Amino acid sequence: MPSVTLKEIAETLGISIATVSKALKGYPDISESTKQRVQELAKSLNYHPNSFAQSLRTQQSNLIGLIIPEIVHHFFANIIQGVIDEAKKEGYLVIVLQSDESYIHEKEQLQLLLEKNVDGILISLSDKTVHYKHVKEVIDAGMPVVLYDKISKSLDCSKIIIDDRGAAKDATTHLILRGCQKIAHISGPLKPQTTIDRYLGYKDALKEHGISFQKELVYTSENLSYEDGYALGEQILIDHPDVDGIFSFTDLVATGALTKIREMGIKIPDQVSIMGFSNWFLARITTPTLSTVDQPGYRMGQEAFKQLCKEIKMTKDQEIILPEIIKIPTKIVQRQSTR
Amino acid sequence: MPSVTLKEIAETLGISIATVSKALKGYPDISESTKQRVQELAKSLNYHPNSFAQSLRTQQSNLIGLIIPEIVHHFFANIIQGVIDEAKKEGYLVIVLQSDESYIHEKEQLQLLLEKNVDGILISLSDKTVHYKHVKEVIDAGMPVVLYDKISKSLDCSKIIIDDRGAAKDATTHLILRGCQKIAHISGPLKPQTTIDRYLGYKDALKEHGISFQKELVYTSENLSYEDGYALGEQILIDHPDVDGIFSFTDLVATGALTKIREMGIKIPDQVSIMGFSNWFLARITTPTLSTVDQPGYRMGQEAFKQLCKEIKMTKDQEIILPEIIKIPTKIVQRQSTR
DNA sequence: TTGAAAGCGCTAACAT
DNA sequence: ATGTTAGCGCTTTCAA
């Protein structure tokens, strides 16, 4: 791809390279007529600047890195979209990498992005990451980094999160207000923090409404799968036939439980109400449709980029960055699985 | 980020920049001892080459662009993953862009990628793209381009596709072999080509089994939505109570139809069998689960990158590229919605 | 075995 | 208003 350079334009027009460069950028000290001539020729030659040369000079790439635990995932896919859309507005392009919930990949990919000289990095920590030296090093090297969704409190950088605990409390409260007296909770492995927070939110709601917490009403899904939910739905009702509400920490598991319970001939929501978490696409198409907490991925992606962009600018201006924690509001989406 | 340069290493060691560069790349004409010293220092200083300078010299970025119509989409998300994984193996990073099924975005994004000097582009045409000058220009400029999934026959470049017509024929045949006599087809707007091909495959199967094609058994979903399927499912059985099989051109619409038909008290698959297309995640969680055609997105992504990579190398070596058309095999996934 | 030097294409301070 | 010049960090040819 032998592309057009400033030099060629300059030679054709018999002026200097510097003048061409300035004319193209609309510097005020270039005469209108020259600007005209240059810009016309540039257009007709389909000139576009060589981004490597530009980046080499300016030391910025207009590229950011986005490390995501899992791409094929409704929530994360929404985040990707939010980031890309927002980045485009500011002229940034996004390199997407998948950590696959693996610490090793996460570390490698951080390195790759560093080597590509991206201007900043957005990362959601993998569930298997337990120490954060690799991230800290990148931050310490002066690279703007913003964490989203799965974060670590020990990392000193900006974070975009939802209030998992508050949202879970809202979800459980929703069940209580609709008349549920005995509410089971399906939780997950106690990592990431989001899972713990949802569990705590569940307890908060019970407490606030004077319902005593019973440990045996808390079940654990190890694989976060539909099948887990299917099995647990049955188990819960065998162990506690009088359970009239279930709050699951994630939609997919809730969907499994809902399906099994319906198949058992139990009426939803009349006998048992079910509440999920995330508002995945599938919550709209189950029978009955699933009430859940909307976790606004797109919005999180947008905010994450905005914050990162701000920090990129500050870094360039040598300003000191004060990490911010931005909480994105969630809301209850009521559908047919709760009264 | 004041990073370490070759110059610094050279000065520290009292040797020339060129020697450092060669030592780091393991050139045979550098003594082992020098290599040792250089490599050790580089490591301890955490040196990594400035990618802009490298790219400026070598004119390659090790970056490719991936334009996808829709990120929040099970099939396309799988493609993204396939591309990223495969690209990583070859040391490439992927810039992801979403065209949103818009011709204007598609055109803009192609331009952005060109300006970023990516080494190659992977693109699936938006449904609203009807002429291809913008893509052709990029190809003519010498940029390696590979089309995947939604392609145009008029574009002279490699293409990665599935055999939609054959797969649809298989799906319809599956229904016929399971005893369906009167099979309706839900199709979509006759753009992209994939939709047309699936319709033709449906006809092929009927013909092969001596079933006469009836135009009134073909319905159209305008929005490719669950709601469309829900409405059409009812409509089909009102118009033709004796229909005993439905082949939908896409899973989401099939899911809507399946739900409505079940709600109407009609037994699936005993009275009506339903077949989808794509094998989206949701096909596993409907009640009954949905039989469908597996459209291997991940594999397509991998193959698309492999082909692109091949062409990038060939372009670099000034070889002539002969466009290839690669068909990825599909397979029928039988679940509960067909006998 | 090593180094000098040119140059990739661009920007920007400085000079004219 | 325009041009000169230096240099961003690297690779690679050619000379020593």
Side-chain angles (χ1 to χ4, degrees):
Chain A
M1 294 230 305
S3 44
V4 191
T5 65
L6 289 185
K7 194 174 160 198
E8 277 176 61
I9 298 182
E11 281 169 1
T12 316
L13 256 34
I15 55 179
S16 80
I17 295 176
T19 305
V20 176
S21 172
K22 288 183 192 168
L24 249 17
K25 310 210 110 168
Y27 271 55
D29 60 354
I30 299 293
S31 72
E32 275 310 317
S33 69
T34 309
K35 276 186 195 168
Q36 284 268 321
R37 292 196 306 146
V38 170
Q39 281 165 3
E40 267 167 28
L41 184 60
K43 181 161 288 176
S44 76
L45 256 34
N46 191 24
Y47 167 82
H48 60 93
N50 180 309
S51 69
F52 307 139
Q54 261 178 335
S55 294
L56 182 57
R57 274 295 311 208
T58 60
Q59 291 301 345
Q60 63 160 30
S61 58
N62 287 307
L63 234 35
I64 64 153
L66 170 62
I67 299 183
I68 209 125
E70 218 185 317
I71 293 170
V72 184
H73 187 297
H74 190 259
F75 173 61
F76 287 130
N78 269 294
I79 289 185
I80 300 179
Q81 209 187 320
V83 171
I84 291 180
D85 284 358
E86 201 62 30
K88 191 168 68 174
K89 292 184 196 161
E90 301 286 336
Y92 278 84
L93 256 27
V94 183
I95 294 175
V96 179
L97 252 20
Q98 170 167 282
S99 69
D100 245 332
E101 299 283 7
S102 141
Y103 167 74
I104 296 176
H105 287 167
E106 188 175 292
K107 191 171 163 166
E108 270 174 18
Q109 294 176 352
L110 239 18
Q111 203 52 40
L112 281 176
L113 290 174
L114 216 55
E115 286 173 17
K116 261 287 173 290
N117 296 289
V118 294
D119 294 340
I121 296 176
L122 255 21
I123 177 169
S124 183
L125 267 12
S126 102
D127 288 349
K128 290 184 197 110
T129 299
V130 289
H131 57 275
Y132 307 99
K133 205 174 125 236
H134 57 308
V135 185
K136 191 171 179 311
E137 277 171 9
V138 174
I139 297 174
D140 290 347
M143 172 73 76
V145 172
V146 171
L147 253 42
Y148 64 90
D149 191 49
K150 294 193 282 191
I151 63 159
S152 162
K153 284 174 183 155
S154 66
L155 247 16
D156 189 35
C157 61
S158 292
K159 293 151 198 167
I160 315 292
I161 49 174
I162 59 162
D163 177 6
D164 278 283
R165 185 164 178 168
K169 184 179 166 193
D170 291 347
T172 311
T173 302
H174 174 81
L175 289 170
I176 296 171
L177 296 180
R178 304 288 152 155
C180 296
Q181 315 258 357
K182 185 159 185 176
I183 301 171
H185 177 50
I186 303 180
S187 187
L190 293 184
K191 178 93 202 0
Q193 184 66 34
T194 51
T195 308
I196 302 174
D197 288 343
R198 290 175 201 174
Y199 166 66
L200 294 174
Y202 159 76
K203 286 175 74 173
D204 289 348
L206 296 183
K207 192 169 177 189
E208 191 170 297
H209 291 84
I211 300 173
S212 67
F213 168 70
Q214 294 175 259
K215 212 176 161 190
E216 60 275 19
L217 287 178
V218 177
Y219 289 75
T220 299
S221 157
E222 292 299 335
N223 308 309
L224 293 76
S225 66
Y226 175 81
E227 287 73 18
D228 272 11
Y230 195 84
L232 288 172
E234 182 171 29
Q235 195 59 50
I236 291 173
L237 289 169
I238 289 174
D239 295 347
H240 311 279
D242 55 338
V243 155
D244 57 3
I246 298 176
F247 167 49
S248 166
F249 79 124
T250 183
D251 279 348
L252 184 56
V253 175
T255 301
L258 174 144
T259 302
K260 180 61 185 177
I261 290 170
R262 195 196 61 223
E263 287 175 9
M264 289 164 75
I266 295 170
K267 297 265 171 279
I268 304 171
D270 304 326
Q271 293 171 266
V272 177
S273 286
I274 300 180
M275 190 84 201
F277 199 108
S278 272
N279 197 19
W280 279 25
F281 180 75
L282 55 81
R284 283 179 42 223
I285 63 151
T286 52
T287 309
T289 56
L290 179 69
S291 295
T292 187
V293 176
D294 185 55
Q295 196 183 4
Y298 188 83
R299 177 83 194 288
M300 283 184 81
Q302 288 184 306
E303 294 300 325
F305 177 78
K306 276 188 197 163
Q307 183 62 26
L308 184 66
C309 191
K310 210 162 96 184
E311 299 192 0
I312 289 172
K313 290 209 174 75
M314 290 173 76
T315 304
K316 205 166 54 184
D317 299 344
Q318 313 249 28
E319 290 173 44
I320 289 158
I321 295 172
L322 294 175
E324 289 182 40
I325 297 195
I326 299 175
K327 281 195 184 175
I328 308 291
T330 56
K331 62 172 196 291
I332 300 293
V333 179
Q334 182 173 6
R335 296 207 178 86
Q336 299 162 348
S337 69
T338 55
R339 275 167 281 189
Chain B
M1 296 231 304
S3 44
V4 191
T5 65
L6 289 186
K7 194 175 161 197
E8 276 176 62
I9 297 182
E11 281 169 1
T12 316
L13 255 33
I15 55 178
S16 80
I17 295 176
T19 306
V20 177
S21 172
K22 289 181 190 167
L24 250 17
K25 310 211 109 174
Y27 271 55
D29 60 354
I30 301 292
S31 73
E32 275 310 318
S33 69
T34 308
K35 276 186 196 168
Q36 284 269 319
R37 293 197 304 146
V38 171
Q39 281 165 5
E40 266 166 30
L41 183 60
K43 182 162 287 177
S44 75
L45 256 35
N46 192 24
Y47 167 82
H48 58 94
N50 180 308
S51 69
F52 308 138
Q54 259 177 337
S55 294
L56 183 56
R57 274 294 311 212
T58 61
Q59 293 299 346
Q60 63 159 29
S61 58
N62 287 307
L63 234 35
I64 64 152
L66 171 62
I67 299 183
I68 209 126
E70 218 185 317
I71 293 171
V72 184
H73 186 296
H74 190 260
F75 172 62
F76 286 130
N78 269 295
I79 288 185
I80 298 179
Q81 210 188 320
V83 171
I84 291 179
D85 285 357
E86 200 61 30
K88 192 168 68 175
K89 292 184 195 162
E90 301 285 336
Y92 278 83
L93 257 27
V94 182
I95 294 175
V96 179
L97 251 22
Q98 169 166 284
S99 69
D100 245 332
E101 299 283 5
S102 140
Y103 166 73
I104 296 177
H105 286 167
E106 187 174 294
K107 191 172 162 164
E108 268 174 19
Q109 295 176 352
L110 238 18
Q111 202 54 39
L112 281 177
L113 254 15
L114 216 55
E115 285 173 15
K116 261 288 173 287
N117 295 289
V118 294
D119 294 341
I121 296 175
L122 254 21
I123 177 169
S124 182
L125 268 12
S126 102
D127 287 349
K128 290 184 195 110
T129 299
V130 288
H131 57 275
Y132 307 100
K133 203 174 125 237
H134 57 309
V135 185
K136 192 172 178 311
E137 276 171 9
V138 175
I139 298 173
D140 290 347
M143 172 73 76
V145 172
V146 170
L147 255 41
Y148 64 90
D149 191 50
K150 294 194 281 191
I151 63 158
S152 162
K153 286 176 182 153
S154 65
L155 246 17
D156 189 34
C157 62
S158 291
K159 292 152 199 168
I160 315 292
I161 49 173
I162 60 163
D163 176 7
D164 278 282
R165 186 163 178 169
K169 183 180 166 192
D170 290 348
T172 310
T173 302
H174 174 83
L175 289 170
I176 296 171
L177 296 181
R178 303 289 152 156
C180 296
Q181 315 258 358
K182 186 160 184 176
I183 302 171
H185 177 48
I186 303 180
S187 186
L190 293 185
K191 179 91 202 3
Q193 183 66 33
T194 51
T195 307
I196 301 174
D197 287 343
R198 290 176 200 173
Y199 166 66
L200 294 175
Y202 159 75
K203 285 175 75 172
D204 288 348
L206 296 184
K207 191 167 178 189
E208 191 169 297
H209 291 83
I211 300 174
S212 67
F213 168 71
Q214 294 174 260
K215 210 176 162 186
E216 59 275 20
L217 287 178
V218 178
Y219 288 76
T220 300
S221 157
E222 292 299 336
N223 308 309
L224 292 76
S225 66
Y226 176 80
E227 288 72 18
D228 270 13
Y230 195 84
L232 289 173
E234 182 171 29
Q235 195 59 52
I236 291 172
L237 289 170
I238 289 175
D239 295 347
H240 310 280
D242 55 338
V243 155
D244 56 3
I246 298 177
F247 166 48
S248 166
F249 78 124
T250 183
D251 279 349
L252 184 56
V253 174
T255 301
L258 174 143
T259 302
K260 179 61 184 179
I261 290 169
R262 195 196 61 223
E263 286 175 10
M264 289 164 76
I266 294 169
K267 296 266 171 278
I268 304 171
D270 305 327
Q271 293 172 268
V272 177
S273 286
I274 300 180
M275 190 85 202
F277 199 109
S278 271
N279 197 18
W280 278 25
F281 181 76
L282 56 81
R284 282 180 42 224
I285 65 153
T286 52
T287 309
T289 54
L290 180 68
S291 295
T292 187
V293 175
D294 185 54
Q295 197 182 4
Y298 187 83
R299 177 84 194 287
M300 281 184 82
Q302 288 185 306
E303 294 300 324
F305 177 79
K306 277 188 199 163
Q307 182 62 25
L308 184 66
C309 190
K310 209 162 96 184
E311 299 193 0
I312 289 172
K313 291 210 175 72
M314 290 173 77
T315 303
K316 205 165 55 185
D317 299 345
Q318 313 250 28
E319 289 174 43
I320 289 158
I321 296 173
L322 294 176
E324 288 181 40
I325 296 195
I326 299 175
K327 280 195 183 174
I328 309 290
T330 55
K331 64 172 194 290
I332 299 294
V333 180
Q334 180 170 9
R335 295 206 179 86
Q336 299 161 349
S337 69
T338 53
R339 276 168 279 190

